[in-house]
PDB file of all heavy atoms in Angstrom:
ATOM      1  N   MET A1267      -7.982  -1.110  10.751  1.00 68.00           N
ATOM      2  CA  MET A1267      -6.547  -0.818  11.028  1.00 68.00           C
ATOM      3  C   MET A1267      -6.155   0.732  10.854  1.00 68.00           C
ATOM      4  O   MET A1267      -6.930   1.226  10.010  1.00 68.00           O
ATOM      5  CB  MET A1267      -5.617  -1.671  10.275  1.00 68.00           C
ATOM      6  CG  MET A1267      -5.788  -3.168  10.499  1.00 68.00           C
ATOM      7  SD  MET A1267      -4.735  -4.179   9.324  1.00 68.00           S
ATOM      8  CE  MET A1267      -5.168  -5.690   9.674  1.00 68.00           C
ATOM      9  N   LEU A1277       9.802  -2.317  -3.999  1.00 95.00           N
ATOM     10  CA  LEU A1277       9.509  -3.814  -4.059  1.00 95.00           C
ATOM     11  C   LEU A1277      10.813  -4.514  -4.124  1.00 95.00           C
ATOM     12  O   LEU A1277      11.021  -5.534  -3.551  1.00 95.00           O
ATOM     13  CB  LEU A1277       8.730  -4.096  -5.377  1.00 95.00           C
ATOM     14  CG  LEU A1277       8.507  -5.686  -5.690  1.00 95.00           C
ATOM     15  CD1 LEU A1277       7.796  -6.386  -4.531  1.00 95.00           C
ATOM     16  CD2 LEU A1277       7.727  -5.718  -6.941  1.00 95.00           C
ATOM     17  N   TYR A1283       7.590  -9.951  -1.504  1.00 96.00           N
ATOM     18  CA  TYR A1283       6.220  -9.734  -1.738  1.00 96.00           C
ATOM     19  C   TYR A1283       5.948  -9.709  -3.408  1.00 96.00           C
ATOM     20  O   TYR A1283       4.821  -9.491  -3.808  1.00 96.00           O
ATOM     21  CB  TYR A1283       5.836  -8.220  -1.285  1.00 96.00           C
ATOM     22  CG  TYR A1283       5.755  -8.278   0.182  1.00 96.00           C
ATOM     23  CD1 TYR A1283       6.846  -7.892   1.045  1.00 96.00           C
ATOM     24  CD2 TYR A1283       4.604  -8.580   0.911  1.00 96.00           C
ATOM     25  CE1 TYR A1283       6.758  -7.978   2.308  1.00 96.00           C
ATOM     26  CE2 TYR A1283       4.542  -8.582   2.221  1.00 96.00           C
ATOM     27  CZ  TYR A1283       5.514  -8.181   3.063  1.00 96.00           C
ATOM     28  OH  TYR A1283       5.524  -8.165   4.293  1.00 96.00           O
ATOM     29  N   GLN A1289       0.637 -11.402  -8.830  1.00 96.00           N
ATOM     30  CA  GLN A1289      -0.666 -12.041  -8.746  1.00 96.00           C
ATOM     31  C   GLN A1289      -1.872 -10.960  -8.722  1.00 96.00           C
ATOM     32  O   GLN A1289      -2.899 -11.045  -9.495  1.00 96.00           O
ATOM     33  CB  GLN A1289      -0.953 -13.031  -7.742  1.00 96.00           C
ATOM     34  CG  GLN A1289      -2.348 -13.775  -7.834  1.00 96.00           C
ATOM     35  CD  GLN A1289      -2.286 -14.657  -9.068  1.00 96.00           C
ATOM     36  OE1 GLN A1289      -1.338 -15.380  -9.368  1.00 96.00           O
ATOM     37  NE2 GLN A1289      -3.268 -14.490  -9.973  1.00 96.00           N
ATOM     38  N   GLN A1290      -1.693  -9.972  -7.944  1.00 95.00           N
ATOM     39  CA  GLN A1290      -2.741  -9.002  -7.715  1.00 95.00           C
ATOM     40  C   GLN A1290      -2.860  -8.169  -8.985  1.00 95.00           C
ATOM     41  O   GLN A1290      -3.951  -7.877  -9.486  1.00 95.00           O
ATOM     42  CB  GLN A1290      -2.378  -8.041  -6.543  1.00 95.00           C
ATOM     43  CG  GLN A1290      -3.242  -6.775  -6.460  1.00 95.00           C
ATOM     44  CD  GLN A1290      -2.617  -5.668  -7.171  1.00 95.00           C
ATOM     45  OE1 GLN A1290      -1.417  -5.287  -6.936  1.00 95.00           O
ATOM     46  NE2 GLN A1290      -3.445  -4.996  -8.016  1.00 95.00           N
ATOM     47  N   LEU A1301      -2.517  -9.866 -20.732  1.00 84.00           N
ATOM     48  CA  LEU A1301      -1.295 -10.352 -20.427  1.00 84.00           C
ATOM     49  C   LEU A1301      -1.471 -11.530 -19.550  1.00 84.00           C
ATOM     50  O   LEU A1301      -2.355 -11.588 -18.519  1.00 84.00           O
ATOM     51  CB  LEU A1301      -0.564  -9.431 -19.447  1.00 84.00           C
ATOM     52  CG  LEU A1301      -0.263  -7.983 -20.249  1.00 84.00           C
ATOM     53  CD1 LEU A1301       0.342  -7.013 -19.154  1.00 84.00           C
ATOM     54  CD2 LEU A1301       0.788  -8.255 -21.351  1.00 84.00           C
ATOM     55  N   ARG A1303       0.149 -14.545 -16.778  1.00 92.00           N
ATOM     56  CA  ARG A1303       0.895 -14.256 -15.498  1.00 92.00           C
ATOM     57  C   ARG A1303       2.392 -14.140 -15.716  1.00 92.00           C
ATOM     58  O   ARG A1303       3.137 -13.342 -15.084  1.00 92.00           O
ATOM     59  CB  ARG A1303       0.642 -15.421 -14.395  1.00 92.00           C
ATOM     60  CG  ARG A1303       1.157 -15.014 -13.081  1.00 92.00           C
ATOM     61  CD  ARG A1303       0.667 -15.915 -12.109  1.00 92.00           C
ATOM     62  NE  ARG A1303       0.854 -15.530 -10.662  1.00 92.00           N
ATOM     63  CZ  ARG A1303       2.086 -15.426 -10.142  1.00 92.00           C
ATOM     64  NH1 ARG A1303       3.263 -15.622 -10.870  1.00 92.00           N
ATOM     65  NH2 ARG A1303       2.266 -14.968  -8.913  1.00 92.00           N
ATOM     66  N   ASN A1311      10.229  -6.875 -12.889  1.00 76.00           N
ATOM     67  CA  ASN A1311      11.727  -7.156 -12.694  1.00 76.00           C
ATOM     68  C   ASN A1311      12.302  -6.176 -11.910  1.00 76.00           C
ATOM     69  O   ASN A1311      12.268  -4.945 -12.189  1.00 76.00           O
ATOM     70  CB  ASN A1311      12.337  -7.348 -14.092  1.00 76.00           C
ATOM     71  CG  ASN A1311      13.876  -7.612 -13.929  1.00 76.00           C
ATOM     72  OD1 ASN A1311      14.354  -7.738 -12.801  1.00 76.00           O
ATOM     73  ND2 ASN A1311      14.402  -7.725 -15.016  1.00 76.00           N
ATOM     74  N   SER A1318      16.614   4.490 -11.854  1.00 81.00           N
ATOM     75  CA  SER A1318      16.262   4.199 -13.175  1.00 81.00           C
ATOM     76  C   SER A1318      14.898   3.505 -13.138  1.00 81.00           C
ATOM     77  O   SER A1318      14.473   2.890 -12.081  1.00 81.00           O
ATOM     78  CB  SER A1318      17.330   3.236 -13.770  1.00 81.00           C
ATOM     79  OG  SER A1318      17.288   1.902 -13.235  1.00 81.00           O
ATOM     80  N   LEU A1327       1.001  -2.861   5.571  1.00 94.00           N
ATOM     81  CA  LEU A1327       0.363  -2.407   6.819  1.00 94.00           C
ATOM     82  C   LEU A1327       0.461  -3.659   7.779  1.00 94.00           C
ATOM     83  O   LEU A1327      -0.134  -4.670   7.396  1.00 94.00           O
ATOM     84  CB  LEU A1327      -1.111  -2.079   6.653  1.00 94.00           C
ATOM     85  CG  LEU A1327      -1.881  -1.553   7.847  1.00 94.00           C
ATOM     86  CD1 LEU A1327      -1.198  -0.321   8.438  1.00 94.00           C
ATOM     87  CD2 LEU A1327      -3.334  -1.378   7.460  1.00 94.00           C
ATOM     88  N   ILE A1332      -1.038  -4.236   0.838  1.00 96.00           N
ATOM     89  CA  ILE A1332      -2.239  -3.508   0.739  1.00 96.00           C
ATOM     90  C   ILE A1332      -2.302  -2.518  -0.390  1.00 96.00           C
ATOM     91  O   ILE A1332      -3.237  -1.944  -0.632  1.00 96.00           O
ATOM     92  CB  ILE A1332      -2.886  -3.022   2.029  1.00 96.00           C
ATOM     93  CG1 ILE A1332      -1.876  -1.795   2.516  1.00 96.00           C
ATOM     94  CG2 ILE A1332      -3.053  -3.984   3.077  1.00 96.00           C
ATOM     95  CD1 ILE A1332      -2.542  -0.859   3.516  1.00 96.00           C
ATOM     96  N   GLY A1333      -1.079  -2.417  -1.127  1.00 96.00           N
ATOM     97  CA  GLY A1333      -1.169  -1.455  -2.181  1.00 96.00           C
ATOM     98  C   GLY A1333       0.124  -1.482  -3.001  1.00 96.00           C
ATOM     99  O   GLY A1333       1.108  -1.978  -2.500  1.00 96.00           O
ATOM    100  N   LYS A1344       1.047  -0.804 -22.531  1.00 78.00           N
ATOM    101  CA  LYS A1344       1.865  -0.402 -23.495  1.00 78.00           C
ATOM    102  C   LYS A1344       2.570  -1.539 -24.352  1.00 78.00           C
ATOM    103  O   LYS A1344       2.665  -1.482 -25.476  1.00 78.00           O
ATOM    104  CB  LYS A1344       2.976   0.634 -23.096  1.00 78.00           C
ATOM    105  CG  LYS A1344       3.736   1.236 -24.272  1.00 78.00           C
ATOM    106  CD  LYS A1344       4.621   2.296 -23.797  1.00 78.00           C
ATOM    107  CE  LYS A1344       5.415   2.953 -25.028  1.00 78.00           C
ATOM    108  NZ  LYS A1344       6.257   4.078 -24.581  1.00 78.00           N
ATOM    109  N   ARG A1345       2.845  -2.618 -23.681  1.00 75.00           N
ATOM    110  CA  ARG A1345       3.464  -3.852 -24.102  1.00 75.00           C
ATOM    111  C   ARG A1345       2.627  -4.339 -25.347  1.00 75.00           C
ATOM    112  O   ARG A1345       2.945  -4.787 -26.329  1.00 75.00           O
ATOM    113  CB  ARG A1345       3.861  -4.770 -23.137  1.00 75.00           C
ATOM    114  CG  ARG A1345       5.157  -4.646 -22.407  1.00 75.00           C
ATOM    115  CD  ARG A1345       5.448  -3.288 -22.054  1.00 75.00           C
ATOM    116  NE  ARG A1345       6.550  -3.068 -21.059  1.00 75.00           N
ATOM    117  CZ  ARG A1345       6.731  -2.027 -20.414  1.00 75.00           C
ATOM    118  NH1 ARG A1345       5.859  -1.047 -20.495  1.00 75.00           N
ATOM    119  NH2 ARG A1345       7.880  -1.879 -19.683  1.00 75.00           N
ATOM    120  N   GLY A1349       0.108   1.551 -29.462  1.00 76.00           N
ATOM    121  CA  GLY A1349      -0.650   2.597 -30.116  1.00 76.00           C
ATOM    122  C   GLY A1349      -1.509   3.444 -29.284  1.00 76.00           C
ATOM    123  O   GLY A1349      -1.994   4.585 -29.553  1.00 76.00           O
ATOM    124  N   ASN A1353       4.769   8.368 -26.398  1.00 81.00           N
ATOM    125  CA  ASN A1353       6.071   7.909 -25.976  1.00 81.00           C
ATOM    126  C   ASN A1353       6.881   8.632 -24.887  1.00 81.00           C
ATOM    127  O   ASN A1353       7.827   8.420 -24.628  1.00 81.00           O
ATOM    128  CB  ASN A1353       6.976   7.716 -27.195  1.00 81.00           C
ATOM    129  CG  ASN A1353       6.471   6.576 -28.034  1.00 81.00           C
ATOM    130  OD1 ASN A1353       5.955   5.557 -27.556  1.00 81.00           O
ATOM    131  ND2 ASN A1353       6.635   6.719 -29.391  1.00 81.00           N
ATOM    132  N   ASP A1354       6.115   9.727 -24.478  1.00 86.00           N
ATOM    133  CA  ASP A1354       6.727  10.467 -23.433  1.00 86.00           C
ATOM    134  C   ASP A1354       6.903   9.635 -22.178  1.00 86.00           C
ATOM    135  O   ASP A1354       6.213   8.588 -21.904  1.00 86.00           O
ATOM    136  CB  ASP A1354       6.048  11.714 -23.034  1.00 86.00           C
ATOM    137  CG  ASP A1354       5.954  12.704 -24.229  1.00 86.00           C
ATOM    138  OD1 ASP A1354       7.081  13.069 -24.795  1.00 86.00           O
ATOM    139  OD2 ASP A1354       4.729  13.200 -24.498  1.00 86.00           O
ATOM    140  N   TRP A1357       5.914   7.212 -16.558  1.00 93.00           N
ATOM    141  CA  TRP A1357       4.477   7.066 -16.363  1.00 93.00           C
ATOM    142  C   TRP A1357       4.227   6.377 -14.935  1.00 93.00           C
ATOM    143  O   TRP A1357       4.968   5.422 -14.618  1.00 93.00           O
ATOM    144  CB  TRP A1357       3.873   5.920 -17.340  1.00 93.00           C
ATOM    145  CG  TRP A1357       3.772   6.498 -18.789  1.00 93.00           C
ATOM    146  CD1 TRP A1357       4.753   6.688 -19.644  1.00 93.00           C
ATOM    147  CD2 TRP A1357       2.554   6.896 -19.422  1.00 93.00           C
ATOM    148  NE1 TRP A1357       4.321   7.147 -20.802  1.00 93.00           N
ATOM    149  CE2 TRP A1357       2.957   7.334 -20.632  1.00 93.00           C
ATOM    150  CE3 TRP A1357       1.262   7.021 -18.966  1.00 93.00           C
ATOM    151  CZ2 TRP A1357       1.991   7.880 -21.587  1.00 93.00           C
ATOM    152  CZ3 TRP A1357       0.376   7.540 -19.960  1.00 93.00           C
ATOM    153  CH2 TRP A1357       0.759   7.984 -21.165  1.00 93.00           C
ATOM    154  N   SER A1359       2.011   3.909 -13.161  1.00 92.00           N
ATOM    155  CA  SER A1359       1.305   2.692 -13.540  1.00 92.00           C
ATOM    156  C   SER A1359       0.866   1.799 -12.462  1.00 92.00           C
ATOM    157  O   SER A1359       1.553   1.890 -11.377  1.00 92.00           O
ATOM    158  CB  SER A1359       2.192   1.892 -14.494  1.00 92.00           C
ATOM    159  OG  SER A1359       1.556   0.795 -15.138  1.00 92.00           O
ATOM    160  N   ALA A1367      -9.083  -0.786   2.184  1.00 89.00           N
ATOM    161  CA  ALA A1367      -8.320   0.408   2.636  1.00 89.00           C
ATOM    162  C   ALA A1367      -8.554   1.561   1.793  1.00 89.00           C
ATOM    163  O   ALA A1367      -7.911   2.618   1.831  1.00 89.00           O
ATOM    164  CB  ALA A1367      -6.738   0.067   2.597  1.00 89.00           C
ATOM    165  N   LEU A1380       5.658   8.247  -5.929  1.00 97.00           N
ATOM    166  CA  LEU A1380       6.118   7.950  -7.202  1.00 97.00           C
ATOM    167  C   LEU A1380       6.512   9.261  -7.877  1.00 97.00           C
ATOM    168  O   LEU A1380       7.541   9.294  -8.682  1.00 97.00           O
ATOM    169  CB  LEU A1380       5.106   7.289  -7.992  1.00 97.00           C
ATOM    170  CG  LEU A1380       4.805   5.858  -7.658  1.00 97.00           C
ATOM    171  CD1 LEU A1380       3.529   5.365  -8.422  1.00 97.00           C
ATOM    172  CD2 LEU A1380       5.955   4.912  -7.932  1.00 97.00           C
ATOM    173  N   THR A1397      -8.781   4.706 -17.409  1.00 81.00           N
ATOM    174  CA  THR A1397     -10.017   4.497 -18.199  1.00 81.00           C
ATOM    175  C   THR A1397     -11.245   5.060 -17.588  1.00 81.00           C
ATOM    176  O   THR A1397     -12.329   4.910 -18.127  1.00 81.00           O
ATOM    177  CB  THR A1397     -10.319   2.946 -18.295  1.00 81.00           C
ATOM    178  OG1 THR A1397     -10.311   2.467 -16.995  1.00 81.00           O
ATOM    179  CG2 THR A1397      -9.168   2.177 -19.031  1.00 81.00           C
ATOM    180  N   TYR A1404      -6.664  12.395  -9.532  1.00 91.00           N
ATOM    181  CA  TYR A1404      -5.815  12.897 -10.415  1.00 91.00           C
ATOM    182  C   TYR A1404      -5.874  14.364 -10.612  1.00 91.00           C
ATOM    183  O   TYR A1404      -4.959  15.113 -10.784  1.00 91.00           O
ATOM    184  CB  TYR A1404      -5.718  12.048 -11.887  1.00 91.00           C
ATOM    185  CG  TYR A1404      -5.395  10.704 -11.630  1.00 91.00           C
ATOM    186  CD1 TYR A1404      -5.833   9.842 -12.613  1.00 91.00           C
ATOM    187  CD2 TYR A1404      -4.692  10.160 -10.687  1.00 91.00           C
ATOM    188  CE1 TYR A1404      -5.567   8.368 -12.560  1.00 91.00           C
ATOM    189  CE2 TYR A1404      -4.484   8.816 -10.463  1.00 91.00           C
ATOM    190  CZ  TYR A1404      -4.775   7.986 -11.536  1.00 91.00           C
ATOM    191  OH  TYR A1404      -4.620   6.622 -11.393  1.00 91.00           O
ATOM    192  N   LEU A1417      -8.009   1.703 -25.619  1.00 79.00           N
ATOM    193  CA  LEU A1417      -7.225   0.564 -25.044  1.00 79.00           C
ATOM    194  C   LEU A1417      -8.075  -0.726 -25.243  1.00 79.00           C
ATOM    195  O   LEU A1417      -9.061  -0.886 -24.423  1.00 79.00           O
ATOM    196  CB  LEU A1417      -6.688   0.757 -23.668  1.00 79.00           C
ATOM    197  CG  LEU A1417      -5.923  -0.426 -23.091  1.00 79.00           C
ATOM    198  CD1 LEU A1417      -4.756  -0.615 -23.725  1.00 79.00           C
ATOM    199  CD2 LEU A1417      -5.734  -0.176 -21.585  1.00 79.00           C
ATOM    200  N   PRO A1421     -12.325   3.429 -23.802  1.00 86.00           N
ATOM    201  CA  PRO A1421     -11.798   4.721 -23.805  1.00 86.00           C
ATOM    202  C   PRO A1421     -10.644   4.952 -22.812  1.00 86.00           C
ATOM    203  O   PRO A1421     -10.700   4.485 -21.678  1.00 86.00           O
ATOM    204  CB  PRO A1421     -12.953   5.479 -23.599  1.00 86.00           C
ATOM    205  CG  PRO A1421     -14.204   4.798 -23.906  1.00 86.00           C
ATOM    206  CD  PRO A1421     -13.725   3.294 -23.565  1.00 86.00           C
ATOM    207  N   ARG A1426      -0.950  14.428 -17.640  1.00 95.00           N
ATOM    208  CA  ARG A1426       0.285  14.801 -17.372  1.00 95.00           C
ATOM    209  C   ARG A1426       0.433  15.945 -16.145  1.00 95.00           C
ATOM    210  O   ARG A1426      -0.526  16.693 -15.911  1.00 95.00           O
ATOM    211  CB  ARG A1426       1.040  15.572 -18.531  1.00 95.00           C
ATOM    212  CG  ARG A1426       2.425  16.181 -18.280  1.00 95.00           C
ATOM    213  CD  ARG A1426       3.000  16.885 -19.484  1.00 95.00           C
ATOM    214  NE  ARG A1426       2.162  17.980 -19.827  1.00 95.00           N
ATOM    215  CZ  ARG A1426       2.081  18.462 -21.067  1.00 95.00           C
ATOM    216  NH1 ARG A1426       2.693  17.896 -22.170  1.00 95.00           N
ATOM    217  NH2 ARG A1426       1.259  19.502 -21.239  1.00 95.00           N
ATOM    218  N   ARG A1428       3.320  18.467 -14.325  1.00 97.00           N
ATOM    219  CA  ARG A1428       4.796  19.076 -14.268  1.00 97.00           C
ATOM    220  C   ARG A1428       5.145  18.889 -12.774  1.00 97.00           C
ATOM    221  O   ARG A1428       4.448  19.370 -11.893  1.00 97.00           O
ATOM    222  CB  ARG A1428       4.752  20.482 -14.750  1.00 97.00           C
ATOM    223  CG  ARG A1428       4.431  20.510 -16.265  1.00 97.00           C
ATOM    224  CD  ARG A1428       5.074  21.675 -17.013  1.00 97.00           C
ATOM    225  NE  ARG A1428       4.842  21.673 -18.307  1.00 97.00           N
ATOM    226  CZ  ARG A1428       5.362  21.063 -19.394  1.00 97.00           C
ATOM    227  NH1 ARG A1428       6.313  20.224 -19.055  1.00 97.00           N
ATOM    228  NH2 ARG A1428       4.816  21.202 -20.610  1.00 97.00           N
TER     229      ARG A1428
END
Side-chain angles (χ1 to χ4, degrees):
M1267 298 180 186
L1277 178 59
Y1283 293 93
Q1289 188 62 52
Q1290 172 269 308
L1301 297 173
R1303 194 174 189 291
N1311 177 359
S1318 68
L1327 183 60
I1332 63 163
K1344 187 174 183 178
R1345 277 38 173 203
N1353 290 323
D1354 295 312
W1357 289 78
S1359 182
L1380 291 168
T1397 57
Y1404 298 157
L1417 175 65
R1426 175 181 63 210
R1428 297 211 182 271

